[in-house]
Amino acid sequence: MQDIEKFIRGFSRFQEQYLKEPTALDSLRQGQHPRTLVIGCCDARVDPALLTGCDPGDIFVVRNIANLVPPCAPDAPPGVSSAIEFAVCGLEVARIIVLGHARCGGIRALMSGARISEEAEQTGFVARWMRLAEPVRRDVLRELHHKHADEQCRAAELASILHSLDNLLTYPWVRRRVEAGTLAMHGWYFDLAAGTLLAYSARKQEFLPILDPVAVNVPHAA
């Protein structure tokens, strides 16, 4: 029950901050007009709104395991594809951010072939979903076969962001807007260990810190 009590206290703070001011409440009632679509991971440690300090209505968020984007195809998983379609064609967002992160369980499962549980094997939903990133796994294992598994996973986490950005361009209405200059796309990576946020630079072809990292206190073993 402690979690439920925490949620209730949290909603009370939400009421105080957003619902008691008439202007804030009116804005929320009139509909949503976000300028940014964020495609993030389901990981409980990586909440896009918390990471970026956003208020309700600021961002349209799609979250799935490993922040993957399926390519545009008749048999594409409709949940993610329909959300992208609504954000781009309906809300006319100005930018899309694919937000990946360090120590992603989905990517680690992809790279190691680890099972979630015997019970989950009966349905295999996670394994089937992660097949979207199979090209990433193959490329990383081919190019970094001599590296430690942790390095391979980090490389796959970063590469999967770029893979999702490439898949976004298979949607005709995304590509048209990108080519017209009315839609920008960004790849971001939250490094949990270093406490920093990286952005992909197409010019330098690497992920670079958006801000200087802050000091992170890591407890040492006794």
Side-chain angles (χ1 to χ4, degrees), residues 15-49:
Q15 286 179 316
E16 290 288 336
Q17 185 172 357
Y18 295 108
L19 302 184
K20 288 196 173 181
E21 290 293 330
T23 54
L25 184 57
D26 287 345
S27 176
L28 293 176
R29 283 173 172 165
Q30 289 170 8
Q32 59 171 331
H33 306 284
R35 299 288 292 157
T36 300
L37 163 64
V38 179
I39 302 171
C41 183
C42 293
D43 194 299
R45 302 164 294 178
V46 190
D47 187 311

Side-chain angles (χ1 to χ4, degrees), residues 12-197:
S12 178
R13 290 192 298 270
F14 176 85
Q15 286 179 316
E16 290 288 336
Q17 185 172 357
Y18 295 108
L19 302 184
K20 288 196 173 181
E21 290 293 330
T23 54
L25 184 57
D26 287 345
S27 176
L28 293 176
R29 283 173 172 165
Q30 289 170 8
Q32 59 171 331
H33 306 284
R35 299 288 292 157
T36 300
L37 163 64
V38 179
I39 302 171
C41 183
C42 293
D43 194 299
R45 302 164 294 178
V46 190
D47 187 311
L50 286 176
L51 286 178
T52 56
C54 285
D55 292 321
D58 285 350
I59 55 176
F60 188 80
V61 181
V62 181
R63 297 179 72 174
N64 62 66
I65 292 178
N67 43 271
L68 300 181
V69 174
C72 184
D75 59 346
V80 174
S81 300
S82 63
I84 296 169
E85 180 184 75
F86 180 71
V88 174
C89 300
L91 298 174
E92 297 183 344
V93 296
R95 69 192 59 81
I96 301 175
I97 299 171
V98 177
L99 174 62
H101 67 98
R103 302 180 182 179
C104 178
I107 294 296
R108 189 164 293 275
L110 170 74
M111 298 303 295
S112 66
R115 299 188 305 171
I116 296 176
S117 69
E118 289 187 9
E119 186 177 32
E121 288 298 301
Q122 298 174 16
T123 50
F125 291 132
V126 173
R128 276 185 280 165
W129 173 254
M130 291 308 301
R131 286 178 198 150
L132 291 171
E134 179 60 23
V136 169
R137 188 188 74 86
R138 289 198 304 265
D139 289 346
V140 169
L141 292 180
R142 183 182 66 251
E143 297 172 11
L144 302 178
H145 60 89
H146 57 293
K147 296 292 186 180
H148 188 273
D150 288 342
E151 292 182 72
Q152 292 177 348
C153 282
R154 182 180 176 89
E157 288 161 356
L158 296 170
S160 70
I161 297 172
L162 303 183
H163 184 62
S164 286
L165 290 172
D166 287 341
N167 281 347
L168 278 169
L169 291 175
T170 66
Y171 293 83
W173 20 267
V174 170
R175 178 175 286 277
R176 281 197 297 268
R177 285 166 171 77
V178 169
E179 292 175 347
T182 58
L183 179 65
M185 300 201 309
H186 307 273
W188 286 8
Y189 179 81
F190 175 49
D191 190 328
L192 285 160
T196 189
L197 186 63

